[in-house]
Amino acid sequence: MSQISIPYVAYHPLEPQPDSVSPLDLAEASHLPPELYIDDEHHGRIYCPDCGVMCSRRPRKTPKRKDGVDAFYFHLSGFDTVECPHRKKGGKGGGNEGSKEKRAISLVTFAGWKSLASDDEEEEDDLEFVKPRRKEVQNGSSITGRGGFENIFDADGNLLNPGRFRTVGRLVQLAQISLNIAIQFENEDAVLLRDLIVSIEKAQRNIRAYLGKSFLFFGQPTSIVRGKYSRVFFNYKSPEHDLSGHCELDIFEARGWKTFEKDRYYLFYGAVEGNEEHSIVRVLEAGQIDRVPSTARALFDGLR
């Protein structure tokens, strides 16, 4: 049975501490919401007041998970057959009206950059500024469309069925929905889109803070030049700092882009290399770069 978030637990210290107790024994126990939990004091001593199964908190020591979800309680694993209003059978029903299943609709994980050789049906080949569709679902919401997803936690509080992305274009679509969606690359902590997307103007004002780190940069280039060694350079010159994106020529040509098309926002993901005067971001895969028309400026105004 899927779990529904438990609004508070019963604090019941015993010695030794059993995995479950009778709910009747918890009638006089103090109630503890997630925000008042103290790990050193409460861990291993909290129970679901309705079924008596021991509970834990995720995360145990911080107010939010890395994907931005508020801390919540869940039942100890191994008691899935115990009837409880904080569990529900199947995909519908169950639970009291005031309880909501804990969802992490804000987490999207990296599935590897789309390359020119890949045939990925999840992504559009020409991702211009397309307004995404929304769909409200019971007890939460989900992002829908060709790459739609809906995420829930299992009995141990682990995320199931996370959304995935393979292109910068997909991240632009998600940004139109919410800049508070969390993005997670492999072996890295999750980061909110509002912190991942950085205007080149902002980076140029303090490039030292970005050197050696990876971000999704956006801006209108001062020039686009086809250079040597099958590369195209998106140049962003300013009195403070010169930054350029180095894109493989076959990626540029495959999109049908032209070097004179400077009146657009180009977006590319990569690590900043260089020094405080000049820096570069290398684009090696097709999924790492995209563009939107200049009319999309409103999407990024709050990130400057």
Side-chain angles (χ1 to χ4, degrees):
M1 290 183 289
S2 299
Q3 293 205 40
I4 298 170
S5 59
I6 304 170
Y8 59 83
V9 291
Y11 176 55
H12 191 58
L14 294 173
E15 189 63 41
Q17 201 77 25
D19 290 341
S20 65
V21 299
S22 169
L24 294 176
D25 294 338
L26 302 173
E28 302 299 324
S30 60
H31 288 171
L32 188 71
E35 60 269 23
L36 297 183
Y37 174 91
I38 301 173
D39 190 66
D40 293 340
E41 178 181 353
H42 300 129
H43 180 62
R45 302 178 179 88
I46 54 176
Y47 295 85
C48 175
D50 293 294
C51 69
V53 171
M54 183 183 286
C55 295
S56 188
R57 180 182 185 265
R58 189 178 299 271
R60 280 171 48 184
K61 298 185 178 182
T62 56
K64 293 180 181 289
R65 290 167 55 109
K66 291 178 180 179
D67 53 17
V69 174
D70 291 334
F72 61 96
Y73 290 124
F74 63 95
H75 295 99
L76 189 72
S77 59
F79 294 85
D80 292 352
T81 59
V82 176
E83 294 290 337
C84 180
H86 302 296
R87 299 183 189 271
K88 70 176 186 177
K89 299 177 181 179
K92 295 183 179 180
N96 56 46
E97 187 175 346
S99 297
K100 292 185 177 181
E101 185 175 0
K102 202 69 179 181
R103 301 180 186 272
I105 61 171
S106 61
L107 181 65
V108 186
T109 57
F110 182 54
W113 291 117
K114 181 178 179 180
S115 67
L116 286 177
S118 63
D119 182 15
D120 189 351
E121 293 185 357
E122 279 193 8
E123 304 287 351
E124 297 286 350
D125 288 331
D126 186 15
L127 279 170
E128 294 292 349
F129 194 72
V130 180
K131 187 174 182 179
R133 295 177 291 162
R134 294 175 182 260
K135 181 181 179 181
E136 297 297 322
V137 298
Q138 187 177 4
N139 288 339
S141 39
S142 64
I143 301 167
T144 61
R146 299 179 70 179
F149 59 88
E150 179 179 342
N151 299 333
I152 63 174
F153 293 113
D154 65 11
D156 296 321
N158 298 312
L159 187 68
L160 297 175
N161 221 9
R164 299 184 182 277
F165 70 95
R166 294 198 65 196
T167 68
V168 162
R170 175 64 173 151
L171 296 180
V172 172
Q173 288 182 326
L174 295 173
Q176 294 171 73
I177 296 170
S178 174
L179 290 170
N180 290 323
I181 292 174
I183 302 301
Q184 188 165 35
F185 288 88
E186 188 175 5
N187 299 322
E188 294 182 19
D189 290 342
V191 59
L192 295 180
L193 266 175
R194 68 170 62 257
D195 298 323
L196 181 71
I197 303 176
V198 176
S199 75
I200 290 174
E201 297 168 2
K202 181 178 180 179
Q204 286 173 320
R205 291 195 293 268
N206 182 23
I207 196 64
R208 181 183 297 180
Y210 300 92
L211 289 173
K213 301 176 183 178
S214 296
F215 292 91
L216 174 52
F217 295 96
F218 73 90
Q220 286 185 258
T222 53
S223 66
I224 303 175
V225 179
R226 177 172 174 172
K228 299 179 180 179
Y229 311 115
S230 299
R231 287 183 181 173
V232 176
F233 298 86
F234 297 83
N235 298 314
Y236 299 83
K237 294 185 177 295
S238 79
E240 299 159 305
H241 182 83
D242 290 343
L243 184 148
S244 63
H246 293 203
C247 178
E248 297 296 308
L249 179 62
D250 53 354
I251 295 173
F252 185 86
E253 292 182 337
R255 304 299 290 272
W257 296 342
K258 307 298 181 183
T259 56
F260 59 79
E261 295 176 317
K262 296 184 295 181
D263 59 339
R264 293 175 177 265
Y265 282 102
Y266 287 85
L267 302 99
F268 43 88
Y269 178 87
V272 184
E273 306 172 35
N275 53 48
E276 295 187 28
E277 294 183 358
H278 305 277
S279 64
I280 63 172
V281 177
R282 302 181 193 275
V283 176
L284 304 177
E285 298 290 354
Q288 286 178 254
I289 189 168
D290 214 308
R291 69 181 189 183
V292 295
S294 56
T295 53
R297 175 173 179 171
L299 174 64
F300 306 110
D301 277 347
L303 299 174
R304 293 180 175 279

